Amino acid sequence: MFELLDGPPYANGEAHTGHAINKILKDFIVKSKIGLGYRVRFRPGWDCHGLPIELKIGKQKETPAPQSFKEIRSAARIVADEAIGKQMNAFRRWGVTADWDKPYTTKSSKYVAAQLDIFGQLVEQKLVYRTFKPVYWSPSSNTALAESELEYNEKHQSTSVYFRFKLINVSSPEIIWSSIPPSKPSQFYALVWTTTPWTLPLNNAICVSPNIKYSVIQFEREINNPTSTYYIIASNLVSELEKQSEQKCRILGTVKSENLIGKKYKSCWHNELALPIYEAPHVSDTVGTGLVHTSFAHGFQDYDVAVSNGERIQSFVDSRGCYTRHLGHDLDGKHVLGDVIIRSSQQWFIDVEEIGKRASSMLDEITVSAGDSDLRGSLKQLVTTRNSWCISRQRVWGTPIPGLVDENGEAYTSRELIEWVADLTRKSGNTDVWWEVDLNKILENEDVRRSLKIPKDVIPQLKKNVDIMDVWLDSGLAWHAAKENEMEREHVTDVVLEGVDQFRGWFQSLLLTSVAVKNKLPYRKIIVHGFCIDEKNNKMSKSVGNVVDPILLTDGSLKQKAIGADGLRFWVALSGSENAGESKIGPKIIEDVDRKIVSLRNGFRFMIGGCQGFNGNPINSPLKTLDQDMLHSVDSFVKKTISNYEEFKFRTVANDLTQFIQRNFSSNYVKYVRDRLYCDKIGSESHLSAQFTLHRTAYSLAHIISPLLPHLSAEVLHHLPGSHEKQILRHTFMELQSEEKYYMPELSQLMKVVHELRTVLEASAGPKIDTSKKDIIVYVKPEQEKLLKTSELELPELLNVSGVELNESRDGISVEITDSKRRYCERCRKHTRKDGDNLCSRCFDALVV
């Protein structure tokens, strides 16, 4: 049994080229594994919950925006179902094989109940907690966000400022002056640099490092002022300050970091506040000033500073992204800058610090790759540096986090409560039960109430927690919830395949939850692919107008030639496989793919055409040398392709196929066999040999390429005598190997000499001489002559000439081109006719009834 676990696409919108890369690559795996003899389980999935769908239903013009939780969730289901239907139709149009009758969706009651079962186990292990700490926050959507949900604009430049804070208790004696200490009154400032200037009124501390050398500087334009103003900055960053401020500075001395740690400075917003300078490990002198502005509620490292120093954490930015009244009338209600901010709020978290380290060590047991690249290090780095995972969202469309909260924000939950909700969901088939169930009914369940350990005086204050789970936790539990039964769950997924962005998303969420609950990996192998870009290396964008619709590729339009589902699949094989970089698509690339598909079709058309009148059964007579060589090449291609399928090298298979048809088949076989196929007597041993070879070649290639090009494969087998399209993937690829009885023992050595002769002949003839109408005299070494004599009568065909005279020479291979002594035959167009005959003997026999 081989299992491919589907990383569920989001159930919103139409299928796009990103879907095509992902789903078609998965289909390559499914079909190739079937051909390799495996029973395969691949259940398609959809990720249905989350913010985009909620935002979409809020913008629908034809109906009033839903208000209640029931209205929102009902409308969201409709949006998700419509998207699933559209995407499923597209995936099936592309030839994707899956268990379409039993897909998993994260909104189904069965999935939600199974997800809650596992969440209850995480709670029981005390890995889940609720606290007040910084998270990414969307003011417009009024919810927490995960880092993996953020979209980074690489061209964006943050607004950055240098800002000075007035030091209170730093004085001249603590400075190591380069010369005589100043005699004028002096004022010292801590100079900070920040890319979030909106947090300056919320400043709580400044952080420095004991490993950094700090300088005391003065701007040259301020030297003659009556009071000396000095700034403290990391010595390595003085030149950068001069560059950015376009002001010259003088370094007048240095100050030790220990003389800064513990000092006080004035708040920039509350003049009466004296704030501390702390030591912190994250401070560096690579950018900024080496003194870090710190706002406990609005930075992850800032929060750590607060915790390590026992500071209280307060947020004076509300859920709308506005300053609160605590900052005074001037800022009250004003929006801070930024569509996404870092803001502290009460959220649910999973403690993944220890789990991440454990998971990292386990990753050595598997492969994480794109082609031959080993990408385990990327995933290990991400999971080992992650301390906590914010799993709560302040929305409605999602899986609930069953719990109770009192008026002070204290949370109460338990495995018993969560499993009780899971059972209600499973039995009722209703995923809204948490919102519908009355609080009193929850508390009436004695086992649940006892497990929550709620103080009696708190019970009247309780409310149901209304946060929902992060969608990455939804899909991250697919290793359990997407499977039908315990037998399936016991089988560790063999492969997951997703885009490179899932290092921050699904790869992690699967890994962390599985290791946390079962202490084992959820997969045996990760395969990574890249994103789709245009021919000019630009990302796909509707505003730019470079988006390529896969439906237009497959079905065509007035402006776009249809390349069919197999054309799309072949592009995925060539551009999307064995590669974590970008997959390019555009008019020129599409044209090239179409040209290659046409070349493949022409090759198969020749094979099928040559098989007319042939029943496809084995023949009793021996094969011609040229035919033996062709079938040997087919066997080698099949064997190599099997190896590439085992290693998921679909790009290699596609390139090898193109080269095989162009070189091995067209150049090295069709060119030479055409004369025999067209001119030998139908039904003769020589003609049957060619037909058998063409039939076996078409049959083997059609089957071996079926994972990549199933429609072309079906079409070939439909028209190939003695075959049927329903035979696809009904036989293993190993069954395609030809029997050894078809090959003479010395075939490889003989064809090596023939290929050498062809090279010499082509060089001697040049582009102007048609060798098919010439005789040649061949000079070879004795051992080579012995080989050639085993097929001497076939040498004219093997070398595409009218006649061959074989001679021994000690000097190596050489060829002499001569005019034939025989006459030109009008039927076969070779110089093989005797004087007085109308046709050559071969053509005469072919026409005799």
Side-chain angles (χ1 to χ4, degrees):
M1 171 61 71
F2 177 91
E3 182 182 57
L4 173 64
L5 182 61
D6 191 21
Y10 195 59
N12 186 24
E14 306 278 351
H16 51 70
T17 49
H19 288 117
I21 293 172
N22 183 266
K23 279 294 181 287
I24 291 172
L25 283 175
K26 288 174 181 175
D27 193 55
F28 293 164
I29 293 176
V30 170
K31 288 185 169 70
S32 63
K33 285 297 178 182
I34 293 172
L36 291 170
Y38 290 87
R39 291 177 59 239
V40 177
R41 181 164 56 237
F42 177 58
R43 184 172 295 122
W46 273 271
D47 196 357
C48 303
H49 293 143
L51 184 59
I53 289 179
E54 276 202 59
L55 296 178
K56 185 172 185 175
I57 62 178
K59 295 176 182 177
Q60 290 175 338
K61 296 179 181 179
E62 61 272 15
T63 56
Q67 297 296 324
S68 69
F69 84 85
K70 201 169 188 69
E71 291 174 332
I72 293 171
R73 289 176 65 83
S74 177
R77 284 189 194 95
I78 294 172
V79 171
D81 285 338
E82 288 177 350
I84 290 171
K86 290 177 181 177
Q87 291 180 15
M88 184 185 291
N89 287 337
F91 300 161
R92 298 180 80 162
R93 168 70 180 91
W94 301 338
V96 175
T97 299
D99 190 353
W100 297 114
D101 294 331
K102 293 190 292 184
Y104 79 86
T105 63
T106 60
K107 67 179 178 62
S108 72
S109 58
K110 186 174 183 179
Y111 191 99
V112 169
Q115 179 179 338
L116 289 171
D117 288 338
I118 298 299
F119 185 64
Q121 295 182 46
L122 292 169
V123 168
E124 185 178 49
Q125 294 184 44
K126 301 190 183 307
L127 294 171
V128 179
Y129 62 97
R130 189 172 187 262
T131 192
F132 184 82
K133 65 188 295 187
V135 294
Y136 290 107
W137 184 269
S138 169
S140 60
S141 304
N142 202 1
T143 183
L145 299 171
E147 184 178 4
S148 53
E149 294 175 289
L150 306 181
E151 291 186 5
Y152 292 96
N153 181 357
E154 296 176 359
K155 297 180 180 179
H156 173 74
Q157 288 188 337
S158 300
T159 300
S160 60
V161 299
Y162 287 97
F163 192 85
R164 68 180 192 179
F165 285 97
K166 190 176 183 179
L167 294 167
I168 296 174
N169 54 346
V170 174
S171 58
S172 182
E174 292 169 296
I175 307 302
I176 304 170
W177 297 101
S178 301
S179 56
I180 301 172
S183 56
K184 290 192 292 185
S186 303
Q187 179 59 56
F188 295 92
Y189 290 90
L191 191 64
V192 302
W193 176 82
T194 181
T195 57
T196 56
W198 62 270
T199 61
L200 285 169
L202 306 162
N203 172 268
N204 301 113
I206 292 173
C207 291
V208 297
S209 170
N211 302 317
I212 295 176
K213 179 182 177 182
Y214 291 95
S215 292
V216 178
I217 66 169
Q218 188 175 36
F219 290 111
E220 287 189 354
R221 62 181 175 81
E222 296 179 347
I223 289 175
N224 295 323
N225 290 353
T227 300
S228 296
T229 302
Y230 301 108
Y231 299 91
I232 297 174
I233 182 176
S235 302
N236 289 344
L237 294 166
V238 174
S239 60
E240 182 64 19
L241 172 65
E242 290 181 317
K243 178 181 175 182
Q244 295 296 330
S245 65
E246 298 181 350
Q247 295 186 50
K248 287 290 183 181
C249 302
R250 289 188 182 179
I251 298 176
L252 302 177
T254 60
V255 59
K256 293 181 179 179
S257 57
E258 55 260 37
N259 289 333
L260 297 175
I261 296 168
K263 299 296 186 182
K264 301 287 185 180
Y265 64 94
K266 282 191 174 184
S267 166
C268 67
W269 200 253
H270 301 284
N271 199 43
E272 72 282 4
L273 283 182
L275 300 173
I277 297 177
Y278 288 129
E279 173 188 343
H282 66 276
V283 180
S284 73
D285 58 355
T286 56
V287 68
T289 64
L291 295 94
V292 178
H293 152 59
T294 303
S295 180
F296 300 148
H298 301 285
F300 304 113
Q301 294 166 325
D302 310 51
Y303 173 84
D304 293 338
V305 171
V307 171
S308 62
N309 288 282
E311 292 277 11
R312 184 184 178 191
I313 301 159
Q314 295 176 287
S315 177
F316 299 129
V317 174
D318 64 21
S319 62
R320 302 168 301 151
C322 298
Y323 295 111
T324 65
R325 59 183 177 81
H326 301 83
L327 294 177
H329 176 74
D330 290 342
L331 288 182
D332 184 18
K334 287 184 170 60
H335 281 277
V336 304
L337 299 177
D339 296 327
V340 176
I341 61 175
I342 296 175
R343 169 182 176 267
S344 286
S345 57
Q346 287 281 359
Q347 300 291 340
W348 294 84
F349 297 87
I350 297 178
D351 182 358
V352 294
E353 185 173 8
E354 187 275 332
I355 297 167
K357 293 173 182 175
R358 197 162 13 121
S360 175
S361 63
M362 291 182 179
L363 286 174
D364 292 330
E365 303 169 15
I366 67 167
T367 58
V368 182
S369 62
D372 294 325
S373 303
D374 183 358
L375 303 176
R376 275 179 301 184
S378 300
L379 187 54
K380 293 179 77 167
Q381 172 69 17
L382 288 167
V383 297
T384 51
T385 55
R386 191 172 183 178
N387 297 324
S388 60
W389 173 5
C390 178
I391 60 166
S392 50
R393 300 291 181 268
Q394 288 62 57
R395 303 299 298 191
V396 174
W397 179 230
T399 299
I401 300 177
L404 306 179
V405 182
D406 65 24
E407 61 184 14
N408 295 319
E410 189 70 28
Y412 304 89
T413 190
S414 66
R415 179 173 181 175
E416 288 78 3
L417 169 63
I418 295 165
E419 289 184 345
W420 180 74
V421 176
D423 287 340
L424 284 178
T425 302
R426 190 179 287 110
K427 291 173 182 176
S428 66
N430 177 15
T431 57
D432 294 341
V433 291
W434 176 249
W435 286 268
E436 294 173 351
V437 69
D438 186 72
L439 176 61
N440 291 326
K441 185 177 180 180
I442 297 172
L443 296 174
E444 286 170 5
N445 186 305
E446 188 174 338
D447 291 337
V448 169
R449 188 178 69 251
R450 190 184 304 114
S451 71
L452 293 173
K453 300 176 183 178
I454 306 170
K456 289 184 179 180
D457 59 326
V458 172
I459 290 178
Q461 310 168 11
L462 292 175
K463 293 182 180 180
K464 286 190 296 181
N465 174 68
V466 292
D467 291 344
I468 60 171
M469 292 188 200
D470 175 14
V471 293
W472 291 111
L473 187 54
D474 288 7
S475 60
L477 292 172
W479 55 265
H480 175 85
K483 300 190 179 185
E484 291 283 293
N485 49 56
E486 291 306 316
M487 185 179 73
E488 287 189 10
R489 288 166 184 154
E490 283 301 311
H491 181 91
V492 177
T493 292
D494 294 279
V495 169
V496 293
L497 178 149
E498 299 300 329
V500 67
D501 58 325
Q502 295 308 314
F503 278 108
R504 294 188 174 275
W506 195 57
F507 295 155
Q508 272 198 69
S509 60
L510 283 174
L511 176 63
L512 293 172
T513 54
S514 178
V515 171
V517 175
K518 303 189 75 174
N519 198 34
K520 69 178 186 180
L521 295 172
Y523 34 60
R524 292 190 171 96
K525 183 179 183 66
I526 296 175
I527 300 176
V528 185
H529 66 77
F531 296 121
C532 189
I533 60 172
D534 69 14
E535 290 175 319
K536 298 179 181 178
N537 298 319
N538 297 314
K539 290 182 178 179
M540 295 291 172
S541 169
K542 290 182 179 179
S543 60
V544 175
N546 64 349
V547 174
V548 177
D549 185 349
I551 294 177
L552 292 182
L553 285 181
T554 57
D555 299 350
S557 67
L558 292 175
K559 297 181 180 179
Q560 171 70 54
K561 178 185 176 183
I563 62 172
D566 276 357
L568 179 65
R569 294 173 69 95
F570 209 55
W571 167 72
V572 171
L574 293 168
S575 300
S577 175
E578 302 177 50
N579 174 31
E582 289 83 3
S583 301
K584 291 186 179 181
I585 193 167
K588 292 182 180 178
I589 291 172
I590 294 168
E591 185 180 332
D592 180 63
V593 169
D594 185 52
R595 189 163 50 246
K596 288 175 178 175
I597 290 289
V598 168
S599 174
L600 296 179
R601 292 182 65 84
N602 287 339
F604 280 114
R605 185 178 290 114
F606 183 89
M607 297 176 206
I608 293 169
C611 289
Q612 295 308 306
F614 182 70
N615 59 16
N617 293 328
I619 59 175
N620 296 320
S621 55
L623 297 179
K624 293 290 186 180
T625 303
L626 182 66
D627 299 331
Q628 292 183 44
D629 181 57
M630 184 64 225
L631 290 184
H632 189 267
S633 295
V634 171
D635 282 349
S636 297
F637 176 77
V638 167
K639 185 176 181 181
K640 184 179 179 184
T641 302
I642 289 172
S643 176
N644 285 324
Y645 280 149
E646 288 172 341
E647 296 178 15
F648 309 98
K649 291 186 175 181
F650 305 114
R651 172 187 284 181
T652 303
V653 172
N655 282 323
D656 286 352
L657 173 63
T658 303
Q659 295 298 319
F660 184 88
I661 292 293
Q662 291 175 352
R663 295 181 182 176
N664 297 71
F665 184 68
S666 296
S667 299
N668 289 336
Y669 185 69
V670 173
K671 175 181 175 180
Y672 299 94
V673 81
R674 188 187 287 117
D675 172 71
R676 172 158 46 104
L677 187 66
Y678 293 166
C679 300
D680 279 21
K681 183 180 180 66
I682 294 174
S684 65
E685 290 186 356
S686 60
H687 193 264
L688 286 173
S689 177
Q691 286 192 304
F692 175 79
T693 301
L694 288 171
H695 188 280
R696 181 58 64 93
T697 299
Y699 182 87
S700 296
L701 292 183
H703 278 286
I704 200 69
I705 69 168
S706 60
L708 269 58
L709 303 171
H711 303 90
L712 177 58
S713 176
E715 188 178 1
V716 170
L717 293 175
H718 176 77
H719 292 286
L720 190 67
S723 300
H724 197 284
E725 62 268 25
K726 290 185 178 180
Q727 293 175 334
I728 294 176
L729 299 178
R730 294 295 190 271
H731 305 286
T732 66
F733 296 145
M734 292 301 296
E735 296 175 59
L736 299 175
Q737 299 280 342
S738 294
E739 297 178 37
E740 289 295 326
K741 68 178 183 180
Y742 291 121
Y743 308 136
M744 64 175 77
E746 64 275 13
L747 178 64
S748 296
Q749 299 97 310
L750 171 61
M751 290 309 300
K752 182 179 179 181
V753 178
V754 169
H755 284 299
E756 289 183 47
L757 282 170
R758 287 175 181 175
T759 302
V760 174
L761 178 59
E762 288 174 5
S764 300
K768 294 183 179 180
I769 298 177
D770 182 359
T771 58
S772 68
K773 297 176 175 60
K774 298 288 185 180
D775 283 3
I776 60 172
I777 302 172
V778 172
Y779 298 93
V780 290
K781 292 179 179 179
E783 63 272 18
Q784 293 173 326
E785 183 189 23
K786 184 178 179 181
L787 273 173
L788 293 174
K789 278 188 176 295
T790 61
S791 300
E792 187 170 7
L793 295 178
E794 298 177 48
L795 289 179
E797 176 182 77
L798 291 169
L799 298 172
N800 192 29
V801 295
S802 292
V804 177
E805 179 183 326
L806 194 58
N807 290 292
E808 182 182 316
S809 171
R810 300 267 178 201
D811 298 328
I813 291 178
S814 64
V815 173
E816 181 181 333
I817 301 173
T818 65
D819 290 328
S820 177
K821 296 177 182 178
R822 292 173 297 281
R823 300 297 182 183
Y824 181 74
C825 177
E826 292 289 346
R827 182 173 180 271
C828 66
R829 300 177 183 179
K830 285 182 176 285
H831 284 262
T832 52
R833 179 173 60 88
K834 295 179 181 179
D835 283 333
D837 292 344
N838 292 325
L839 297 171
C840 68
S841 59
R842 178 182 61 151
C843 290
F844 178 80
D845 291 341
L847 295 179
V848 173
V849 178

